[in-house]
Amino acid sequence: MHINRNVNSNLPPVILLGGEAIALSVARSLGPHGVQVYAHDNPSSYVRYSRYAKWIPLEENGDIQKVWIEWLTGEGLSRLRGAVVLPCCDD
């Protein structure tokens, strides 16, 4: 996986939730500007393969909203405190 090496440490990281092609467009828009982008969607999502996004594998066990909230208030909070969360889908 290629990760954006030109990260601007003055910018907060961004977490993309869902969105398939929308998340990919957001990653492609932010990454070249030095924003570190993290993404979570289903395993076949296009954004998973973007050079501008780091994939966050999460267990999907039913309600995706519940999975995201649990991760964001648990591990995600400790790993990426201060990140901007951008939902890229209606979920």
Side-chain angles (χ1 to χ4, degrees), residues 5-7 16 32 35 59 68-70 80 88 90-91:
R5 304 253 185 257
N6 300 318
V7 174
L16 306 178
V35 177
E59 285 187 36
W68 285 335
I69 290 169
E70 288 175 359
L80 297 169
C88 296
D90 291 340
D91 290 338

Side-chain angles (χ1 to χ4, degrees), residues 14-90:
V14 170
I15 301 169
L16 306 178
L17 300 178
E20 300 261 346
I22 293 171
L24 178 60
S25 294
V26 173
R28 286 179 174 171
S29 295
L30 296 176
H33 295 286
V35 177
Q36 182 65 61
V37 178
Y38 296 85
H40 171 65
D41 198 1
N42 66 59
S44 64
S45 178
Y46 305 122
V47 72
R48 179 177 185 176
Y49 305 102
S50 172
R51 75 178 91 185
Y52 296 113
K54 179 173 174 65
W55 186 250
I56 301 172
L58 299 177
E59 285 187 36
E60 291 189 45
N61 54 3
D63 184 1
I64 191 65
Q65 293 172 352
K66 183 177 178 186
V67 171
W68 285 335
I69 290 169
E70 288 175 359
W71 186 83
L72 288 168
T73 58
E75 181 186 344
L77 183 61
S78 64
R79 284 181 52 197
L80 297 169
R81 183 177 291 277
V84 176
V85 177
L86 296 177
C88 296
C89 65
D90 291 340

